Amino acid sequence: MSDVEDFTGKTGRNETREEQLDRNWAELLQELRVLQTGVQILAGFLLTLPFQQRFESLDDFQVALYLVNVVIASLTTALILLPVSVHRRLFRQRLKATLVSSADSITKLALAGIGMLSVGTASLVFDVTVGRAAGLAAGGVLLAVLVILLVYVPVRLNKRAAGD
């Protein structure tokens, strides 16, 4: 038998295991590109804030929230870059399954990072423009919505698909 056997997974595709891994890798890269754009926009917004006159009027909580957001943006950017770094290290070592599996886990962490960044940024903007209570409420509501959209909906769809 050859190294590459026919593989037909749950996808219903007639592709080899290597073809499936290549497709999965390409799909993960596309998802990371979308995440990267979102993080770049939010990080760019955050990086311009200290250069605004009003930044000096932020209280300690707002400055701390701002700095936490900058750290989250930086860490999320690093997570988005990590699969590329892993790919460079594993390139031509016949470890595509390891690469795809690790990139899947890393992408889930990056999604959590951009979710936290979105919550933190919205909280900061609402806090500065409308007040602390509005900032906390906006952050709480957005957090709940993101948990529903990023956790509950995919889990529910997976359960529904498994039941079919």
Side-chain angles (χ1 to χ4, degrees):
M1 213 169 258
S2 67
D3 287 346
V4 180
E5 297 177 331
D6 282 341
F7 178 81
T8 305
K10 291 181 180 179
T11 62
R13 298 173 189 259
N14 186 17
E15 57 189 1
T16 65
R17 178 71 174 143
E18 292 302 316
E19 289 170 335
Q20 181 188 37
L21 290 170
D22 288 342
R23 180 177 49 80
N24 287 190
W25 175 245
E27 290 174 3
L28 277 166
L29 287 179
Q30 285 301 102
E31 292 169 8
L32 288 168
R33 284 183 184 110
V34 170
L35 286 174
Q36 181 181 15
T37 302
V39 171
Q40 285 175 330
I41 291 168
L42 288 173
F45 161 74
L46 289 171
L47 294 176
T48 63
L49 290 181
F51 303 102
Q52 305 299 315
Q53 285 183 343
R54 191 168 176 193
F55 188 80
E56 293 176 12
S57 67
L58 298 183
D59 63 28
D60 289 343
F61 175 81
Q62 293 165 336
V63 170
L65 183 55
Y66 167 78
L67 292 173
V68 167
N69 284 331
V70 169
V71 169
I72 292 170
S74 299
L75 291 174
T76 302
T77 299
L79 282 172
I80 291 169
L81 295 174
L82 184 56
V84 176
S85 176
V86 171
H87 181 262
R88 288 290 91 209
R89 295 286 182 200
L90 300 182
F91 188 66
R92 294 186 179 160
Q93 293 185 26
R94 297 186 179 270
L95 296 171
K96 182 73 68 112
T98 300
L99 175 64
V100 171
S101 176
S102 65
D104 176 60
S105 298
I106 293 164
T107 302
K108 289 174 184 170
L109 290 173
L111 275 168
I114 198 164
M116 292 184 336
L117 181 58
S118 297
V119 168
T121 302
S123 295
L124 179 61
V125 169
F126 273 78
D127 190 308
V128 170
T129 58
V130 187
R132 180 74 28 89
L136 294 173
V141 169
L142 185 55
L143 178 62
V145 169
L146 287 174
V147 167
I148 290 168
L149 294 176
L150 301 178
V151 179
Y152 175 77
V153 170
V155 168
R156 181 79 176 123
L157 290 172
N158 191 30
K159 285 182 180 179
R160 184 185 305 166
D164 289 342

